[in-house]
């Protein structure tokens, strides 16, 4: 696949540096339609009508198209008029999968309108047998790209797709 060849090429170029401060990556080999419905399942939902907040907790799974976000807890943040969900704030062992790609971190913020997910804290990314670690991964679901930051370390398997 072109995506995997591009990833291996990028990783090959980065191999000479062994570790970098930032790396551009592709995520999920597709452009995610961020207007698709978002389905959330969890063990518990707590709603506070006074401040308009909602918190999903316990085995939370958020699914939108091919993308799945799993975490222990997801706070829902609404826009100023309280009619639209603005952000999902995930914490507690966050994992995001999109097709064969998988990213994990301590926390993540998914801004629905822009289709951007920012993972922070002990970020790990696995793609086609290769791995990458850093402190922050910004994924743009609309164009399927990402940027890993914070003392990036890459391990790849030569001769892959």
């Amino acid at each position: 696949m072109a995506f995997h060849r591009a990833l291996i090429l990028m990783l090959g170029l980065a191999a000479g540096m062994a570790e970098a401060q930032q790396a551009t990556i592709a995520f999920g080999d597709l452009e995610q339609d961020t207007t698709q419905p978002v389905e959330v399942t969890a063990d518990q939902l707590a709603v506070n009508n006074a401040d308009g907040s909602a918190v999903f907790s316990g085995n939370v799974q958020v699914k939108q198209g091919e993308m799945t976000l799993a975490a222990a807890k997801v706070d829902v943040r609404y826009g100023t008029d309280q009619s639209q969900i603005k952000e999902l704030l995930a914490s507690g062992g966050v994992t995001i999968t999109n097709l064969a790609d998988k990213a994990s971190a301590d926390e993540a913020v998914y801004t629905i309108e822009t289709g951007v997910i920012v993972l922070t804290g002990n970020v790990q990314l696995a793609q086609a047998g290769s791995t990458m670690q850093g402190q922050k991964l910004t994924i743009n679901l609309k164009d399927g790209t990402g940027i890993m930051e914070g003392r990036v370390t890459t391990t790849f398997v030569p001769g892959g797709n």
Side-chain angles (χ1 to χ4, degrees):
M1 284 182 167
F3 156 75
H4 293 293
R5 283 190 290 275
L7 175 64
I8 295 302
L9 176 61
M10 186 277 304
L11 292 175
L13 293 173
M17 297 181 290
E19 295 183 6
Q21 292 298 315
Q22 179 175 324
T24 302
I25 58 167
F27 187 75
D29 200 20
L30 81 141
E31 295 176 11
Q32 172 78 23
D33 180 0
T34 59
T35 64
Q36 291 182 340
V38 177
E39 177 184 309
V40 182
T41 57
D43 293 338
Q44 182 177 357
L45 168 62
V47 177
N48 183 334
N49 288 329
D51 67 5
S53 65
V55 178
F56 291 93
S57 58
N59 301 308
V60 182
Q61 290 219 340
V62 178
K63 185 156 179 62
Q64 183 179 39
E66 296 293 330
M67 190 266 306
T68 300
L69 181 151
K73 177 180 161 187
V74 174
D75 291 317
V76 178
R77 298 283 165 90
Y78 292 92
T80 53
D81 65 358
Q82 300 293 312
S83 66
Q84 298 273 350
I85 294 175
K86 180 181 176 185
E87 295 177 327
L88 300 175
L89 288 78
S91 59
V94 177
T95 302
I96 297 174
T97 55
N98 200 1
L99 297 178
D101 294 350
K102 180 178 179 179
S104 61
D106 295 337
E107 299 178 331
V109 176
Y110 178 19
T111 305
I112 304 290
E113 184 178 340
T114 62
V116 173
I117 301 174
V118 179
L119 295 96
T120 55
N122 302 306
V123 179
Q124 296 190 353
L125 175 65
Q127 294 180 307
S130 299
T131 61
M132 188 179 294
Q133 294 85 33
Q135 286 304 306
K136 179 180 177 184
L137 173 59
T138 303
I139 300 170
N140 184 329
L141 294 173
K142 289 186 177 183
D143 64 12
T145 63
I147 297 176
M148 180 76 81
E149 300 176 76
R151 197 65 179 159
V152 178
T153 303
T154 303
T155 305
F156 67 97
V157 179
N161 290 350

